[in-house]
């Protein structure tokens, strides 16, 4: 079995952490038990490019129980938990290609190692497998039945391929399922981003001015949690609708160049490039802390920060202090990569439970239905989304009401008024 990881001797520590998380992912556990009986993925090779975390370990072992062979590489050079990679290789027999801190060349050589296995199903977080297949490994297209995509940024890339008529196989936008983005993006990113900033810096949130760039589901979650810790939250947006929502949710909204002057902490989570740029670095306060929680490390214009600064010094684990010409210092967390995975452990297992239930059931759907699908980006089937919500409630021992036959009839009629 081929693999490339930091150190196989870390496996014991990884195993212990994976077991802790297993008990916190009960929906995936229900799916694992069914998969073990029914083996719906028998003989299927799945190539996965995901953050190599304890939660991902539960997902890939569930896919394996379903009969799949799985190869896994990292979807970000700084998100790999090396002990988890070691345990996946040693205890689960999964080929892992991921080393925390790997450089760009190693990252793409790992992506290509996974693709060398000729996957029938791709499972991406950020679309690097799919984009590499479309750009450089077109010989693989014929064998691919379809794939799944975990994150907003990945879905945007896939829709771009689709709109240009270039998409070569069907893909399921897992991100867009309600049981994914309403929980993972909002509560997962909210908690894990705040968690990472606190772990890395130990700053006091109470009374701090905290700027969130972007008010999508992730931005909403970060603002909510930062406010809950006592920060004064400012939101910046380009969409009038989202800006209005932020205002009515009780936040101050203003242009980023004005917010940057007031900020103690700035987090960008827009999915776009060069959001925090020269004009913002020029006006930031001395000691400002800058972080990114979007998928790629393009939201903070690091080359501009390098150009504008006179020196750079590492002042803590993954904290770089840039000294500006006028003496101000700006601190960049996690080299501008996803701060919640670079500086903490990513989203909690309780939300990844639903995200990865969507992944597992979407993979099963592709194996069953893939041949009938067009070369399009599809939503997760509604029955799957609903079933995951039902299973999650069941595992939380939460019961809900049912419509009476009279109520059902009322809702489907138009005749009845006052
Ligand atoms: N994305 C965000 N948090 C994650 C986690 N804990 N595991 C895998 N992918 C993630």
């Amino acid at each position: 079995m081929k693999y490339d990881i930091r150190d196989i001797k870390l496996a014991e520590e990884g195993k212990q952490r994976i077991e802790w998380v297993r008990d916190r992912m009960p929906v995936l556990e229900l799916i694992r038990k069914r998969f073990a009986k029914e083996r719906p993925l028998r003989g299927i090779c799945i190539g996965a490019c995901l953050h190599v975390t304890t939660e991902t370990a539960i997902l890939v072992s569930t896919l394996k129980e379903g009969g799949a062979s799985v190869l896994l590489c990292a979807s970000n050079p700084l998100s790999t938990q090396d002990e988890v990679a070691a345990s996946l290789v040693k205890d689960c027999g999964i080929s892992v290609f991921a080393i925390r801190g790997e450089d760009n060349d190693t990252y793409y050589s790992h992506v290509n190692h996974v693709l060398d296995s000729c996957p029938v199903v791709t499972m991406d977080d950020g679309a690097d497998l799919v984009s590499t297949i479309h750009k450089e490994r077109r010989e693989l297209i014929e064998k691919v039945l379809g794939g799944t995509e975990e994150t907003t940024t990945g879905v945007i890339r896939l829709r771009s391929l689709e709109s240009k008529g270039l998409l070569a196989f069907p893909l399921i936008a897992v991100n867009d399922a309600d049981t994914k983005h309403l929980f993972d993006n909002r509560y997962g990113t909210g908690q894990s981003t705040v968690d990472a900033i606190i772990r890395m810096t130990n700053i006091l949130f109470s009374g701090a001015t905290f700027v969130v760039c972007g008010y999508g589901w992730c931005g909403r979650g970060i603002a909510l949690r930062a406010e809950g810790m006592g920060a004064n939250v400012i939101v910046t947006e380009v969409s009038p609708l989202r800006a209005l929502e932020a205002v009515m949710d009780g936040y101050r909204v203003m242009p980023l160049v004005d917010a940057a002057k007031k900020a103690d902490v700035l987090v960008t989570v827009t999915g776009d490039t060069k959001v925090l740029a020269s004009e913002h670095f020029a006006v930031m306060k001395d000691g400002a802390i800058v972080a990114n929680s979007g998928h790629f490390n393009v939201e903070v214009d690091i080359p501009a920060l390098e150009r504008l600064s006179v020196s750079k010094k590492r002042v803590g684990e993954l904290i770089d202090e840039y000294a500006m010409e006028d003496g101000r210092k700006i601190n960049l967390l996690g080299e501008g990569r996803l701060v919640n995975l670079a500086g903490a452990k990513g989203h909690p297992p309780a939300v990844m439970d639903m995200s990865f239930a969507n992944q597992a059931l979407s993979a099963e759907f592709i194996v069953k239905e893939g041949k009938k699908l067009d070369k399009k980006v599809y939503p997760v089937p509604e029955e799957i989304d609903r079933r995951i919500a039902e299973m999650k409630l069941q595992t939380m021992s939460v019961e809900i009401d049912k419509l009476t036959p009279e109520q059902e009839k009322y809702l489907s009629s138009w005749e009845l008024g006052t």
Side-chain angles (χ1 to χ4, degrees):
M1 189 179 80
K2 285 192 185 161
Y3 62 87
D4 188 20
I5 58 171
R6 167 87 53 206
D7 183 357
I8 196 82
K9 291 199 284 300
L10 297 170
E12 194 47 45
E13 185 192 339
K15 189 175 175 188
Q16 197 179 37
R17 290 197 47 233
I18 292 168
E19 287 318 310
W20 171 264
V21 159
R22 189 182 301 285
D23 293 341
R24 286 155 185 82
M25 301 183 81
V27 174
L28 219 43
E29 180 61 13
L30 289 173
I31 294 170
R32 189 186 66 76
K33 283 190 180 136
R34 178 171 69 76
F35 273 17
K37 262 197 238 134
E38 298 176 8
R39 309 277 287 170
L41 308 176
R42 188 183 306 116
I44 298 291
C45 176
I46 299 182
C49 179
L50 302 168
H51 301 298
V52 180
T53 65
T54 43
E55 292 74 23
T56 298
I58 304 296
L59 169 63
V60 294
S61 56
T62 302
L63 300 173
K64 200 173 170 205
E65 287 268 11
S69 58
V70 187
L71 291 96
L72 173 66
C73 62
S75 57
N76 185 297
L78 267 188
S79 62
T80 298
Q81 298 169 5
D82 289 318
E83 66 284 11
V84 172
S87 173
L88 278 173
V89 170
K90 184 159 179 238
D91 307 312
C92 307
I94 286 171
S95 282
V96 181
F97 302 91
I99 301 172
R100 184 177 164 89
E102 63 196 12
D103 61 22
N104 252 28
D105 288 348
T106 312
Y107 178 85
Y108 280 105
S109 83
H110 285 164
V111 166
N112 277 297
H113 276 305
V114 166
L115 293 179
D116 288 343
S117 66
C118 300
V120 174
V121 174
T122 62
M123 193 170 274
D124 256 321
D125 186 336
D128 280 344
L129 287 180
V130 170
S131 95
T132 306
I133 291 175
H134 281 72
K135 281 194 290 210
E136 291 154 27
R137 303 288 306 263
R138 298 195 64 86
E139 79 281 3
L140 300 175
I141 287 172
E142 207 188 350
K143 280 252 180 76
V144 181
L145 204 49
T148 63
E149 172 52 54
E150 170 78 7
T151 201
T152 318
T153 293
V155 172
I156 290 169
R157 294 178 87 188
L158 299 182
R159 292 235 157 86
S160 162
L161 265 175
E162 183 186 33
S163 71
K164 294 182 172 105
L166 298 174
L167 195 61
F169 44 82
L171 285 139
I172 311 282
V174 164
N175 179 72
D176 297 356
D178 286 341
T179 48
K180 197 281 181 179
H181 67 271
L182 293 178
F183 303 93
D184 170 314
N185 301 29
R186 182 167 34 173
Y187 304 121
T189 310
Q191 176 167 320
S192 59
T193 300
V194 168
D195 176 17
I197 295 169
I198 292 174
R199 281 192 208 209
M200 295 175 87
T201 65
N202 203 19
I203 57 160
L204 182 68
F205 268 51
S206 270
T209 298
F210 192 104
V211 173
V212 183
C213 312
Y215 204 62
W217 289 110
C218 296
R220 289 173 177 112
I222 296 171
L224 188 69
R225 292 300 176 242
E227 187 189 40
M229 298 284 292
N232 284 306
V233 175
I234 300 175
V235 171
T236 73
E237 248 304 336
V238 293
S239 148
L241 190 72
R242 287 183 173 179
L244 196 56
E245 189 181 349
V247 170
M248 299 226 178
D249 285 347
Y251 304 113
R252 281 183 291 165
V253 174
M254 62 186 75
L256 181 48
V257 75
D258 297 328
K261 294 176 195 152
K262 305 178 193 296
D264 297 304
V265 184
L266 300 103
V267 179
T268 172
V269 65
T270 67
D272 212 337
T273 188
K274 295 186 185 166
V275 176
L276 286 166
S278 313
E279 63 270 33
H280 311 115
F281 302 133
V283 297
M284 281 179 197
K285 292 200 296 199
D286 181 29
I289 292 170
V290 170
N292 164 51
S293 222
H295 184 79
F296 286 119
N297 61 336
V298 295
E299 301 207 20
V300 180
D301 187 352
I302 300 174
L305 191 52
E306 302 264 353
R307 264 194 321 273
L308 286 171
S309 58
V310 288
S311 65
K312 170 184 168 185
K313 170 163 94 172
R314 188 137 276 202
V315 292
E317 205 180 325
L318 290 178
I319 308 179
D320 292 316
E321 180 191 86
Y322 289 82
M324 313 304 275
E325 238 169 35
D326 59 8
R328 285 174 307 124
K329 292 181 176 134
I330 295 175
N331 298 292
L332 176 65
L333 304 187
E335 298 172 4
R337 296 198 185 272
L338 272 169
V339 73
N340 60 336
L341 282 141
K345 297 277 182 269
H347 301 357
V351 286
M352 294 315 295
D353 193 23
M354 288 187 278
S355 312
F356 284 168
N358 275 289
Q359 286 285 9
L361 299 183
S362 295
E364 181 184 30
F365 175 76
I366 286 170
V367 170
K368 269 199 201 136
E369 307 290 336
K371 287 207 176 99
K372 294 185 223 150
L373 300 176
D374 295 324
K375 296 168 185 174
K376 282 190 189 158
V377 180
Y378 286 89
V380 171
E382 248 175 62
E383 319 79 77
I384 291 183
D385 208 358
R386 188 186 165 89
R387 182 74 198 112
I388 290 170
E390 284 168 353
M391 286 195 282
K392 189 70 183 173
L393 283 173
Q394 182 196 325
T395 64
M396 295 166 85
S397 303
V398 176
E399 291 178 29
I400 59 171
D401 296 320
K402 271 203 175 75
L403 293 173
T404 64
E406 187 186 354
Q407 287 172 326
E408 282 207 30
K409 190 167 164 220
Y410 177 82
L411 288 178
S412 64
S413 68
W414 60 271
E415 297 92 339
L416 285 172
T418 305

